[in-house]
Amino acid sequence: TITALTAWSLVWAQATDLLISEYAEGSSNNKYIEIYNGTGASVDLSGYSLSSCSNGCDATGEFDYPDNVTFASGTTVADGDVYVVCHGSSDQSILDECDQTFTYLSNGDDHFALTTAGATASSYTIIDIIGDESLGGDPGSGWDVAGTSDGTMDHTLVRKASVTAGQTTWATAAGTDADDSEWIVLAKDTWDLLGSHNMNSGS
């Protein structure tokens, strides 16, 4: 007897570009941004940058510091791997996973975005964001995330595995509660997930 099996066609979740998979603003200088590549191929990071605003953006829609963090030509991140930018005085457990150091990471109210390299003060392509550059001015201590007040300060944020693309609207990414947010908010100085990221695949 031959049993007929129904063939299921699976569509695997795959990113079309890089995204920010983890962010930490912890005690002292324990700060980092983790970038994840789920595109299906290695990516040369020299085509990307991190652009930022200090204490919120001085002008709505413009970075204070476009291309604030750049990556040398030939700096690649493999498919399924992450690239970590951290403060050079971070805890050793962070430094062990860190690929590049940068001193001026967020104090909680500093807007950071993953951008294409070559950004100028008023012309750039945003791929993913932490914080809202459309507000202009200083947001206070930080931005709320998933219903957590000042979630970008004194917390670690981990991107949900269901998120497969960067988000250029902070209100959508941050959400209003744990269910509709793209982020999971963890306690300050939680770094045990740093160095890898899981992106779900589904049918």
Side-chain angles (χ1 to χ4, degrees):
T1 302
I2 299 176
T3 302
L5 299 178
T6 301
W8 292 89
S9 177
L10 296 180
V11 178
W12 300 102
Q14 181 171 297
T16 56
D17 214 324
L18 305 177
L19 57 80
I20 298 172
S21 50
E22 192 164 334
Y23 158 98
E25 199 286 310
S27 60
S28 187
N29 292 315
N30 295 313
K31 310 169 188 288
Y32 60 80
I33 294 175
E34 179 187 85
I35 300 168
Y36 174 70
N37 174 19
T39 64
S42 294
V43 172
D44 186 346
L45 285 179
S46 64
Y48 298 83
S49 62
L50 291 173
S51 298
S52 66
C53 292
S54 178
N55 307 121
C57 298
D58 291 339
T60 299
E62 294 185 14
F63 289 114
D64 298 344
Y65 306 102
D67 288 345
N68 207 7
V69 180
T70 57
F71 308 99
S73 178
T75 302
T76 60
V77 57
D79 176 50
D81 202 358
V82 298
Y83 190 92
V84 179
V85 177
C86 76
H87 193 287
S89 298
S90 293
D91 184 87
Q92 188 59 49
S93 62
I94 295 175
L95 292 173
D96 289 344
E97 300 291 347
C98 187
D99 298 291
Q100 182 170 327
T101 60
F102 181 72
T103 298
Y104 303 106
L105 291 172
S106 181
N107 289 320
D109 58 355
D110 300 314
H111 169 57
F112 269 82
L114 178 63
T115 51
T116 52
T120 64
S122 59
S123 177
Y124 44 80
T125 299
I126 299 174
I127 298 167
D128 204 3
I129 56 175
I130 298 286
D132 194 345
E133 54 102 25
S134 67
L135 292 176
D138 193 331
S141 297
W143 285 275
D144 297 349
V145 185
T148 300
S149 180
D150 296 333
T152 55
M153 181 185 72
D154 292 338
H155 290 93
T156 295
L157 307 181
V158 176
R159 209 65 174 268
K160 289 181 178 178
S162 58
V163 178
T164 59
Q167 177 57 252
T168 59
T169 302
W170 175 244
T172 301
T176 58
D177 56 36
D179 292 327
D180 65 14
S181 178
E182 293 188 357
W183 294 94
I184 300 168
V185 181
L186 301 178
K188 181 171 68 174
D189 296 343
T190 304
W191 313 312
D192 52 314
L193 297 178
L194 178 62
S196 65
H197 180 67
N198 175 54
M199 181 181 287
N200 278 345
S201 59
S203 59

